[in-house]
Amino acid sequence: PVPPPQNPPPERLLGDYGGANAPGGRLTIVNQPVNVTNFQLHPSTINQLERKPFTGKVNEDANKHLQRFLTMSTTLKIDGHTDEAKKLRMFPFTLAEDAEEWFYSLPAGSITSWEEMETAFLNEYFPASVFLRKRYEILNFKQKDGESLGDAYKRFKRVLVACPTHNMDQTEQMQMFVNGLKIKTKQLIDTAAGGSTNFSTATGIKRIIEAIAANEHLELYDRCTSQPDGVIDLKLETNKIRLEDT
């Protein structure tokens, strides 16, 4: 038999439209279950998370923010929480302004794991275009005029940290750094390496660079940079760097 026709649903009033279409769930993150009955983030924890928020500005470093958050999360203990659940509950408190607006614009229930949260964050604030620009800064690193070897090395390490997915091993990294140094600085490292960096490992060159940068007689390097091109006086008879390349 043919079923009887069903009556159409009653037509809604215009005033009911907004409330009737309100979503049942608004939370972006599907929080993982915890082993405590009453969960609460302590206000001091929230204040600590909000102290240096990520706002989404162009000059902000998304990878550095994640690194800082993960470091902080390892020091904060929340009873009854796994590390995964803890990070998911705390991370939104580290966002502000445009980044906070971005987070709350994500579909409700779209984040179910920390991996998804981290991926969504980096896709937004460290996309391929930013990755290529940061990697270009590594490949084309140059020592600035008047910049000491130690300062140049510190800046190079910051450039590496800003692009953790650069996919270069230590040898490639050190090659990029040495190639970007001024001629006089290269000659200084070559001399300390016994004639040429080509016969040293990345570990050996790194030790030489760190020794020069930290040496109490670093003024020798400053005097070298003030000499005409090609002239270096290291006074090796009294200040010779002896480092074993192991």
Side-chain angles (χ1 to χ4, degrees), residues 161-182:
V161 171
C163 185
T165 53
H166 52 68
N167 198 30
M168 296 182 220
D169 61 25
Q170 286 194 3
T171 301
E172 291 175 295
Q173 294 172 28
M174 196 53 63
Q175 191 68 51
M176 296 298 171
F177 176 70
V178 172
N179 287 344
L181 295 175
K182 300 285 187 182

Side-chain angles (χ1 to χ4, degrees), residues 10 24 30 58 118 120 130 139 152 156 178 189-190 194 201 204 235 240:
V30 178
V58 176
E118 188 172 348
V130 177
L139 297 174
F156 182 71
V178 172
I189 297 176
D190 281 339
T201 63
K235 298 184 179 179
K240 189 173 183 179

